[in-house]
Amino acid sequence: MQIDNMNTAASPVLAPASPSQPREGMISEPASTDRSTAWDSFVENTPETGFMQPSWRVEFRNYCGFENFGITLTDGNDIVGGAVVLKYLCSEDRCFYYIQDGPVLPGDPLAAEAVFRAVLEDLEDRRRAEPHVVSHLRIEPRWLSLPGFVSGFRAIPPLADIYLEARDTRCVDLRPSEAAILAQMKPKGRYNIGVARRHGVSIVEDNSEQGLADFQNIYEETATRKGRKAKPPDYFEELMSLLSRARRGSLFFAEYQGMRIATALVVYFGPRATYFFGGSRDIHRQVMAPYLLHFEVMRRARALGHEWYDLWGIAPANEPDHPWQCISVFKAKFGGVEVRLVPTLDYVYDAAAYDCYVAEQRDSGDTGFRDPLPPERTLSPGGGE
C-alpha cells in the first residue's frame, strides 16, 4: 500500500488539539459524530486492535477523569491508522501517554511502519509542546510478535504497576457448532456444565438497575474474598450506561434457587466477545454455576455473530505462582487457545521523570511490582527477549 498523503484529522476526540486545551471530550457536532463513526468502523474492522480504542471508551475514560486526544491518519478520504491516546497525570508537573489496544495499524507491513512512525512523530511534537513533562509513552498493541520496525521500547512485566492490562489470555473459537465447542473443552469443563444443568441453574441477562446492583454485590464479594480492591459502583454505572447505549455489552447472571450466585460483564466488539469483569458467591459452589454461565455467554455471543470468546486474562507462561494461576486453571477447562501478546511496552522520553514514575509504583505497596526491563532487553522482532 502506498501512502501518498497522511493527514491528521481535526476531530475533538480523535485528533490532536492544541496542548493548551488539556481536556478533550465527546461533543455533539455532526462533523465530530461523523469522524467518530468513521473511526469506530475502521477500528472494528481492524483485527489487531480491541474495544479500548473506539469512541465510547474515550467517553468512559473522560468520565473517569483522564484526559485524551486522538491521532487519525488518512490516505485520501480513507482512515489508514492512528490511536486514541490517554494522558495520565502522575503529579502536578509530570504525565505519561498511554495507548491501549493500539496504535491501530494497517495490515500491510510497509504501510504499518509508515503509520507507526507518523504516530510517534505526532506524539513527539505534542509532548514538546506539553505544559507537563511527559515521562514516557506506554503502548499495548494486540501483536503476537514485535514488528521489525519497533525498537527502543522497554518490556513491562505483568502486574508491574496499576496502569496496564492483561497481555495473556485464552480465547474460545465460536465458529464451530455448539456441539463442537463443547467437544473441544476439557472433560471436567463439559462435566461441570452438565452438573449445573442437572441442579437447575439458569442463566439470565439483566442490564437493569437491579441487575447492576446485583452485579456490584457479587463483584465486591469476590474482590474481598480474593484480597483485591473493588472498583466503586459509579465506575460500573457509567460503563454499563455507555455499553448499553452503544449496544456493546451486557450483564449475565447464573441463578440457583432464586439467588444470583455468579455474574459476568461482557463486552462485544468486532469478532470478539470479552469477559471483562465478573465474580461468584462463595455459596452453592457444588452446583458449578460459573461453568454454565460462561457456556451460555458463548452461545449468546455466537448467536450475535461473534467469532471468539475472550476470557480476558490468564497467568503468564511458566509462572505457576502467579496470582492469576487459579483463575487460569478454571478458564483452561473451557478449552480454546492461549493467546500470548507482546508485553506492555514503554518508550522513555525523560529518564528522570520515568525514574520518578517507577519509584512511585515501587513504593505503592504493590507486592507484585517488578522493575521494567531496560531498552536493550526489550523484545526483539522475532518475539523473544
Side-chain angles (χ1 to χ4, degrees), residues 181-240:
I181 293 172
L182 276 169
Q184 62 82 47
M185 293 182 185
K186 290 190 175 182
K188 190 65 173 176
R190 289 194 303 274
Y191 176 80
N192 287 342
I193 290 170
V195 168
R197 283 173 167 166
R198 289 192 292 274
H199 278 94
V201 174
S202 60
I203 308 303
V204 298
E205 187 174 353
D206 183 3
N207 296 333
S208 69
E209 289 185 12
Q210 185 59 55
L212 191 58
D214 291 341
F215 169 85
Q216 187 73 33
N217 288 335
I218 298 173
Y219 163 77
E220 288 182 356
E221 179 180 322
T222 304
T224 300
R225 189 170 68 246
K226 300 292 185 180
R228 300 171 186 160
K229 183 179 179 180
K231 295 185 181 299
D234 62 341
Y235 177 95
F236 292 107
E237 290 169 5
E238 182 65 17
L239 177 59
M240 283 307 303

Side-chain angles (χ1 to χ4, degrees), residues 73 80 113 139 155 165 185 207 233 319:
L73 300 164
V80 295
E113 179 175 1
I139 65 173
E165 300 291 346
M185 293 182 185
N207 296 333
E319 292 196 27

Side-chain angles (χ1 to χ4, degrees), residues 170 172 184-189 291 311 314 325-338:
R170 177 174 293 276
V172 178
Q184 62 82 47
M185 293 182 185
K186 290 190 175 182
K188 190 65 173 176
Y291 288 90
L311 286 156
I314 59 174
Q325 189 60 38
C326 288
I327 192 65
S328 301
V329 171
F330 164 72
K331 293 176 179 180
K333 292 183 173 67
F334 294 103
V337 295
E338 291 184 350

Side-chain angles (χ1 to χ4, degrees), residues 310-326:
D310 187 344
L311 286 156
W312 191 254
I314 59 174
N318 304 315
E319 292 196 27
D321 297 326
H322 192 276
W324 295 352
Q325 189 60 38
C326 288

